[in-house]
Amino acid sequence: MLDTETVKERLKSFGYEVRAEDAFALTFCIEKVKNTIKNEINAKDIPEGLEHIAVDMAAGEFLLSKKTFAPADLEGLDLDYAVKQIQTGDTNTVFATGEGSLTPEQRLNSFINYLLTYGREEFSCYRKIRW
């Protein structure tokens, strides 16, 4: 279900703890996503199959607004989760080729873009014709 608590938990899983002063912005982002999806599919409610996409979109909208208006609030996000290289003795293992060269801001932008766009192709499964 697309509600404030679900989106808060999703943001918490990314390392962002929602504060009391974020309440209005979070509610606004959730309502914006609800209206966007309902308008896209021409429905009165968000179908159960799109709820997980709606939660990610709301989290993406919230993170985008934070990045734009209060970037210091996002310092707690761990964008360095991808290990580039591990060396133990003579064994050398390289991970995240290409991704490791991105700056933290570029990784944040990619992550937000993913949240905002992932699953939009599923909207067509629920779209109703307008007359």
Side-chain angles (χ1 to χ4, degrees):
M1 173 176 227
L2 181 59
D3 60 8
T4 307
E5 288 306 312
T6 308
V7 178
K8 281 182 183 180
E9 285 300 313
R10 186 66 171 146
L11 288 166
K12 188 176 182 180
S13 74
F14 302 143
Y16 183 83
E17 193 70 42
V18 177
R19 296 179 219 130
E21 60 266 16
D22 294 331
F24 175 77
L26 185 60
T27 303
F28 181 83
C29 292
I30 291 169
E31 291 303 315
K32 180 178 178 183
V33 167
K34 281 181 181 179
N35 287 329
T36 298
I37 292 174
K38 290 190 288 187
N39 288 335
E40 238 350 95
I41 66 171
N42 192 29
K44 293 182 181 185
D45 295 313
I46 296 176
E48 186 178 328
L50 294 179
E51 287 177 357
H52 65 285
I53 294 168
V55 170
D56 276 354
M57 286 177 69
E61 285 287 344
F62 179 78
L63 291 174
L64 181 62
S65 68
K66 276 294 186 181
K67 179 184 174 288
T68 304
F69 298 108
D73 290 351
L74 297 179
E75 290 175 358
L77 289 178
D78 182 19
L79 299 172
D80 296 324
Y81 59 87
V83 177
K84 187 174 180 181
Q85 182 174 351
I86 297 175
Q87 184 164 356
T88 307
D90 343 354
T91 306
N92 187 18
T93 308
V94 179
F95 300 101
T97 307
E99 291 295 315
S101 62
L102 295 177
T103 66
E105 184 174 6
Q106 289 170 325
R107 282 182 272 177
L108 179 61
N109 289 340
S110 295
F111 180 61
I112 291 172
N113 187 46
Y114 168 80
L115 290 173
L116 292 173
T117 59
Y118 171 77
R120 282 186 169 264
E121 64 277 355
E122 292 182 37
F123 288 4
S124 62
C125 297
Y126 299 94
R127 190 167 288 139
K128 295 180 183 177
I129 295 174
R130 291 184 192 165
W131 293 99

